[in-house]
Amino acid sequence: MPRDALSGPDRAAPSEIDRINRIFSEAFTDRYQRDGLSGVRVPLLNPAIWRFAIAAAGDGALVWRDAAGAIAAFNMVHRSGTEGWMGPLAVRPDRQGQGLGRTIVREGIRRLEAEGARTIGLETMPRTVDNIGFYSRLGFRPGHLTVTVTRTLKGGGTSSAARIPAGPRAEILARCRELTEALAPGVDFSREIDLTFGQDLGGVTLVADRGAASAFALWHTAPLAEGRPGDEARVLKLAARDIEAFRRLLPAIERDTASAGARQASLRCQTAYGSAYEAVLDAGYTVHWTDLRMTLSGKPELPARNGGVLFSNWEI
């Protein structure tokens, strides 16, 4: 099919989740196989996770179509205040090698720059030199690793999680926003928190001192893969005023997620925060996976202020 027989980007619709999901699975399975992992098959994701991703991206949930109107590529372009990132993004295997990957990434960059994002980033597999080279040619530079760490939970107990549906939601959002603003001015996770409540995907754990939030974590217990049990809690966003607040937050996350039915907790730890990485290892978490964090030249990810900790998941 000729390269110019392409239209878009259009905004992805929830009705297109099935096709987006299949392209995601096919493209990433193909990538693993080309990396020599022939036995790996990337599963379809839970449609609820795609609904969250599309809603969180808003106008940045982009699809491109071939001449027949079928989706040829997609890019979920997210902005949390001044923090912008892309993921997941994929090109249908039969349309790869035609420049479409460059098109969808450049469109993501263009949109985020136009919206005033001060950080523009993405994550990729550190073993995949083709991907690192591809993104590097588009202006991205490698940074630190995101190390996914997990821990088996010991049981329930009384939950202190903020899982309150209606009235108090504004208060929860305000407390989280105030802490995030103090650590990383301009960054705002309100959309992701609000959608998590609205779509009943998980909850927020808050640790407070004198009525003010000193740490919080947004987590999901909805299963990530289609057909899998919902027994894992995944932390998407986390903020702590200092390392002591971070250490206090970890057992609170474990209590709350166990009370919500999880049997395992998973954090995506940004290794730029060395003390926090040491803290999760000291708490008994084990390394499960790694991703390489890359940011656009001139649009770096800035560390949290005053010794704080800020984890922002750039994957769904």
Side-chain angles (χ1 to χ4, degrees), residues 99-160:
L100 184 48
R102 290 191 296 273
T103 296
I104 69 174
V105 173
R106 284 171 175 158
E107 176 61 19
I109 293 170
R110 186 194 69 77
R111 285 178 178 250
L112 290 171
E113 287 182 331
E115 293 172 357
R118 294 201 294 264
T119 295
I120 297 178
L122 50 81
E123 289 185 341
T124 190
M125 294 176 284
R127 65 169 285 141
T128 306
V129 294
D130 288 348
N131 280 10
I132 295 170
F134 169 75
Y135 291 123
S136 294
R137 288 190 294 274
L138 291 172
F140 289 86
R141 299 295 175 257
H144 56 271
L145 290 176
T146 293
V147 177
T148 300
V149 294
T150 63
R151 187 181 187 200
T152 301
L153 302 177
K154 294 182 178 179
T158 302
S159 173
S160 60

Side-chain angles (χ1 to χ4, degrees), residues 21-43 89-97 125 127-128 130-131:
N21 207 358
R22 293 189 182 282
I23 292 172
F24 168 83
S25 175
E26 292 164 3
F28 279 86
T29 296
D30 179 69
R31 177 70 265 178
Y32 280 118
Q33 290 175 349
R34 284 188 283 129
D35 281 347
L37 301 175
S38 57
V40 174
R41 174 72 188 178
V42 176
L89 62 152
V91 175
R92 207 172 67 203
D94 66 297
R95 291 302 302 258
Q96 292 178 12
M125 294 176 284
R127 65 169 285 141
T128 306
D130 288 348
N131 280 10

